[in-house]
Amino acid sequence: NQLGVIYRFIRNDFLAPLAEDANLVSPVPGLPAVCPPPPGIFDPRCGSGVKNILEQVSIRSLYHLTDHLLLLYNSNYDARESRFTSNRGGIKILSQCECWSIGFSVNHTRNPDRTSFKFGFNLLGLGS
């Protein structure tokens, strides 16, 4: 069994806009694309300067319900936006002979707003 909690944090500094927009281009030709911008120039991509770029908590859990039944749950929570960005749950069944397994999972993400389903059948030792 496993339980993991991960906290990711990127502080708002002069390089922070590159975390969200790696192709940041200067609003004025000849001036560097940095935040905060040079005095007298407003760049909306730099924001108000009060929010941090990333504050995310991730939870990953794996639980062996029995010797042949495994439950999985992963989730990401964006503290900056106060919402979950992804949730994934799944189940995996291993045969009594331990020669095949079946897995099923559901994943919901916010960006893009999509729900996906995954089904897998594996012949252990031969492939999937």
Side-chain angles (χ1 to χ4, degrees):
N1 299 328
Q2 274 184 338
L3 177 64
V5 178
I6 301 166
Y7 178 70
R8 292 182 182 95
F9 176 82
I10 298 177
R11 182 176 303 128
N12 191 7
D13 61 9
F14 72 98
L15 292 176
L18 298 177
E20 292 182 338
D21 188 357
N23 297 316
L24 188 63
V25 177
S26 174
V28 177
L31 292 178
V34 296
C35 287
I41 295 178
F42 174 73
D43 189 343
R45 294 169 296 185
C46 294
S48 63
V50 295
K51 280 190 170 183
N52 292 314
I53 296 303
L54 177 70
E55 290 184 69
Q56 183 182 40
V57 178
S58 299
I59 296 174
R60 297 180 179 177
S61 62
L62 189 66
Y63 183 68
H64 289 269
L65 198 57
T66 68
D67 288 340
H68 300 282
L69 187 61
L70 176 70
L71 301 176
L72 164 77
Y73 179 72
N74 296 339
S75 181
N76 292 320
Y77 180 77
D78 187 351
R80 190 178 120 181
E81 300 291 328
S82 299
R83 66 180 186 180
F84 285 93
T85 56
S86 69
N87 285 295
R88 178 176 172 234
I91 186 169
K92 188 170 189 178
I93 301 169
L94 179 64
S95 68
Q96 295 289 335
C97 64
E98 296 185 3
C99 55
W100 58 265
S101 69
I102 294 175
F104 178 75
S105 66
V106 177
N107 186 23
H108 178 73
T109 58
R110 299 281 258 153
N111 187 12
D113 192 9
R114 181 180 0 185
T115 301
S116 59
F117 303 91
K118 182 179 176 185
F119 175 77
F121 177 74
N122 293 309
L123 295 172
L124 303 177
L126 297 176
S128 58

